[in-house]
Each structure stands twice: as structure tokens, then as C-alpha cells.
Amino acid sequence: MRPDLEPRTSAFTITFVQVIIFVFLFFSLLYGVPELTLFTLIIHTMGIVSYLWSRASVKHVKCKITLSKKKLFPGGKLKLDIWAINSKLLPVLFKVNFFVPGAISGSDTDQWISEEISLLWYQQSFFSREFFPKKRGVYNLGPPQLRVGDPFGFFLRMKKERNRSEVIVYPRIITIRPVTVPKKEFFGIPGAQSPVEDPIFVFGTRDYQPGTPSRRIHWKVSARHNRLQEKLCEPAEQEKLLILLDVDQFENEQARDDFERTLEVIASLALQMDRRGIAVGFATNGKIPGGRSNITPIARTPQQLEFILDSLARIRFEKIGPLTDLLSRGYQIPSGVSSICFACGRSSQLRATSAFLKNRNIPVRFALAQKTTACEKTNRLQDEDIFYLDDILVPENR
């Protein structure tokens, strides 16, 4: 039974007990039994005082949730602190129930945290729990369910809390073999030797210099500093990688494990490219809840890897449309980009994606989760454009 549905039982909330106490009081007054009269009056007084106490107890009482981290990888430690705060002279009994999904608690089933604390005047207390999430995803913890009342617990009143805490569990980072990215010259001269600056790589700002084109002005930073600021861009680089994920065919129940393994490979590949100094972007036709964009533009900033991992944590295998439609309408792919497209298996959609990218002079390779069966003979891609997850996974991660 869920804690919020547990019945509240006490002598003062049971109708039969209340009737018996009233009968005792009536006959004690009728027959003149002072001891019984005093006893029943004390019981009635306790009930009335406890009821009034409980009505006043919900004021200036709150529950605060703090997390040691809001973003972590599977197996990482998540510490949850629940604070109970009483900001008045009246002591109260504080009961809190807090829901924790099984994926966060590290168990196969969901859990409820239940605690009961007595708080004196202007007192606060807290208790902690440690969890080790094991599954990728975005989880909402809370809101806590509070019941506050008199110190004896005769009357407890519900207090609504709306504060929720979001926890993002990234895909697991695994060991993969080095992946070769097809190089494409942007301006013909690599790195710092290039005379042309690449607007993709903005690494800072400075005061606006007269004669600089207005498109180089960073308007948001200018508004913050109350003076014109221009972007500082790094010279053109050779390697830029756009990682694509086509969720088509992952919707089958048999492919769910392949989908999670593919996300782990993408996360590990993005980390590998970032460490090699390669600018990375990500796009997918899978549904990403929370108002997040399906496209993370190519960039090389300190936050870029976090943006990609955040999308990978949120993504679902529900397809929102063809990948080619997303790229043609939602993103202007910059020049000098190579691409790796991850998918479940060979399909006509991959052939359309290959044609779309090659028509734009973007070299692409396809990483498939499932190997081709003998019956797949139509719409085959060229074998030199194909490799499989097993080709880049080390043996212990296959």
C-alpha cells in the first residue's frame, strides 16, 4: 500500500470510540461519579487540544530536498538529504514519504522512503539516503508527501509540497576502439595555420574593434557588459563530426538492448572525439521529452559534451519522422563536416540518409547495431560505408 493511502488511526478518529467516551461522560454525570467524569473530561480535552494543535501545526513547516549531484553516470553515488524544518514555537510531529524510482534506487522495484521526526520549536532535522542508479534516463524525485500534527500523533494533516528534483543519468561510458573519421578540408589549411577564422569555434569575446563586420558582434554578451563585444573565433580546423542516430527499427521489443548499447557507444564516441579536439554535434529523429531540441549543433566548447550526453539521457526510441526531414528543415550543416550515422540495421531510410548527405558532399559511414541477415537483399548500402558496433567494442563490452 502506498504511504499516502495509509489510513490514519487514533482513538479520536474512530467514531465508535468517540461514542463510548461520550456515553461514559453522560452516565458519570448522571450517577455522580467524579473520578469517571474527570477521566472522560481529560480525554475530551486532549482530543480538542490535539485537534487545534494539528490545525496550527501545518503553518511554517516545510520540507527541503537536496541532492549531492543532479547528473551522473550509472553506478555513481547519489546522496539524498531530506530536511524537515519547523519555524514556529509550536512543537510538531513530522512524517514524510518520498518516492524513489527503482532505476534510481538500484533495485528492480520502486521504493518509498518513510520517516517520522518530532520537531521542537524552531528546530530542523534531516536524514540521508544513498542510491546507486543503474539505468539511463531522466527521473523526477518527489514531491515529498508530508503529514504534520500534534506530538502524540492523534491528528495528522496533509501538507502539499510541490518541489521536485530532476536527476539525469547519462549512458554508461564504455571502452571502444579508436574510430577513424573521414577528414574533409574546410579551407585547405589545417588548424592555426589557416588564415580564415571558423565561426563555429567561438572561444571568447573582446571589445568591438572598428572595422569588424557587424555579424561578429556577440549581442548577448554586449547587453550583459553594456558595451559592444565581438566574438573571438579559432582558425578553421580539418575535423568536424556530426553524429546521427536513426531510431527506426529500434521500436521493436527485441531491439531495446541494442538501443541502449548504441547510446553507450555514441556517448563513448563523443567523449573520444572531444579528447581528440574534434568538434562534435548530434542529431536524432528520436523523441526527446522536456522541450529539448533534437539537434545539438557542431561546436567545440566546454559544455558541448554535456549537451550531447543530456540529449542521450533523455532520448526515447519513438520516431518523430525521417532523419532527412529533420536535417533539411531544422539544421544548416556547416561546410567541412564528416558524419557517422548509427542505426539498428540496413533499411531504405538509411539509403535515403546516405543519398541526402552525399548530395551535400558530406562523407558518411554507418554504424549498425544488428548485422545483416541473408534475406536482406534490397536497398543495400555499399559495404565500405558500413561497420558494426562489434567492430569498435572491445571484447568485454560486446
Side-chain angles (χ1 to χ4, degrees):
M1 180 181 293
R2 290 176 53 183
D4 58 325
L5 299 180
E6 292 178 355
R8 295 176 296 169
T9 58
S10 72
F12 299 104
T13 59
I14 300 175
T15 304
F16 177 75
V17 175
Q18 293 175 344
V19 172
I20 292 297
I21 295 176
F22 178 79
V23 171
F24 283 171
L25 177 61
F26 174 77
F27 281 104
S28 66
L29 293 174
L30 180 64
Y31 293 102
V33 183
E35 294 81 3
L36 184 58
T37 301
L38 179 62
F39 175 75
T40 52
L41 286 177
I42 291 175
I43 296 298
H44 275 292
T45 302
M46 287 180 59
I48 294 173
V49 171
S50 297
Y51 176 75
L52 297 176
W53 197 317
S54 68
R55 290 181 63 89
S57 63
V58 295
K59 297 181 180 179
H60 307 294
V61 172
K62 64 179 179 179
C63 181
K64 184 173 66 174
I65 310 297
T66 59
L67 300 173
S68 59
K69 58 185 69 174
K70 295 186 177 181
K71 300 179 180 181
L72 70 163
F73 291 94
K77 184 173 75 172
L78 175 66
K79 185 180 179 183
L80 173 69
D81 293 332
I82 300 181
W83 291 81
I85 304 172
N86 181 24
S87 303
K88 60 178 180 296
L89 284 172
L90 196 66
V92 298
L93 181 67
F94 188 98
K95 291 187 177 182
V96 57
N97 298 311
F98 194 78
F99 176 75
V100 178
I104 291 293
S105 63
S107 62
D108 296 330
T109 58
D110 300 334
Q111 294 184 7
W112 283 91
I113 299 175
S114 298
E115 287 288 337
E116 179 176 318
I117 306 172
S118 294
L119 296 176
L120 299 177
W121 46 90
Y122 296 103
Q123 185 184 17
Q124 63 181 11
S125 181
F126 80 100
F127 58 93
S128 300
R129 294 289 188 275
E130 291 184 354
F131 302 105
F132 297 88
K134 63 177 183 178
K135 186 179 179 181
R136 172 199 69 90
V138 179
Y139 306 95
N140 287 317
L141 304 183
Q145 298 178 354
L146 307 182
R147 288 189 293 173
V148 187
D150 60 282
F152 301 103
F154 291 147
F155 294 93
L156 294 177
R157 302 180 66 87
M158 296 292 299
K159 180 176 176 60
K160 294 183 178 180
E161 291 284 339
R162 297 182 179 180
N163 54 319
R164 292 177 176 267
S165 299
E166 184 182 74
V167 176
I168 301 177
V169 182
Y170 294 141
R172 188 167 56 104
I173 299 296
I174 58 179
T175 303
I176 61 175
R177 293 190 173 95
V179 177
T180 302
V181 179
K183 294 183 179 180
K184 185 174 178 62
E185 298 287 350
F186 188 28
F187 291 108
I189 304 177
Q193 299 177 3
S194 175
V196 183
E197 292 183 338
D198 193 338
I200 294 177
F201 302 126
V202 179
F203 68 89
T205 61
R206 67 180 179 187
D207 289 340
Y208 178 74
Q209 305 295 317
T212 303
S214 59
R215 65 176 180 271
R216 295 279 297 278
I217 298 176
H218 201 308
W219 296 106
K220 291 184 178 180
V221 176
S222 299
R224 186 163 61 247
H225 291 276
N226 202 26
R227 62 180 185 273
L228 286 179
Q229 298 285 300
E230 66 176 68
K231 302 174 184 176
L232 293 177
C233 304
E234 293 184 3
E237 296 281 353
Q238 277 186 305
E239 296 176 284
K240 307 180 187 72
L241 178 65
L242 178 62
I243 300 176
L244 303 175
L245 173 61
D246 191 340
V247 301
D248 188 36
Q249 299 182 353
F250 279 119
E251 298 174 346
N252 299 326
E253 188 70 30
Q254 297 80 2
R256 301 292 171 83
D257 291 340
D258 290 330
F259 182 71
E260 295 298 328
R261 188 175 66 154
T262 299
L263 295 182
E264 292 175 355
V265 171
I266 293 176
S268 304
L269 177 62
L271 177 61
Q272 183 184 106
M273 296 296 106
D274 183 74
R275 289 175 175 175
R276 288 165 54 180
I278 297 176
V280 184
F282 175 70
T284 179
N285 61 345
K287 184 177 181 180
I288 302 181
R292 299 278 303 188
S293 173
N294 286 67
I295 299 176
T296 303
I298 297 174
R300 204 180 73 188
T301 62
Q303 298 81 20
Q304 183 69 2
L305 183 60
E306 180 180 347
F307 293 155
I308 295 176
L309 291 176
D310 189 87
S311 296
L312 293 175
R314 297 176 184 273
I315 190 173
R316 298 177 181 174
F317 41 74
E318 304 171 23
K319 185 172 67 173
I320 62 173
L323 188 58
T324 52
D325 290 352
L326 178 71
L327 295 175
S328 59
R329 294 181 301 186
Y331 183 45
Q332 181 65 40
I333 302 177
S335 302
V337 172
S338 301
S339 178
I340 295 179
C341 181
F342 289 82
C344 182
R346 297 174 188 251
S347 67
S348 58
Q349 290 294 331
L350 287 193
R351 187 175 180 87
T353 302
S354 176
F356 174 87
L357 295 174
K358 290 184 177 180
N359 286 340
R360 286 159 176 76
N361 198 26
I362 299 174
V364 59
R365 296 186 69 193
F366 294 89
L368 305 183
Q370 298 179 354
K371 293 192 174 182
T372 306
T373 61
C375 61
E376 292 176 317
K377 299 295 184 182
T378 60
N379 293 328
R380 293 176 60 87
L381 299 167
Q382 297 182 8
D383 289 337
E384 59 266 23
D385 296 334
I386 297 291
F387 66 98
Y388 298 92
L389 296 187
D390 288 343
D391 298 331
I392 59 176
L393 289 173
V394 296
E396 57 267 23
N397 291 323
R398 292 179 184 173

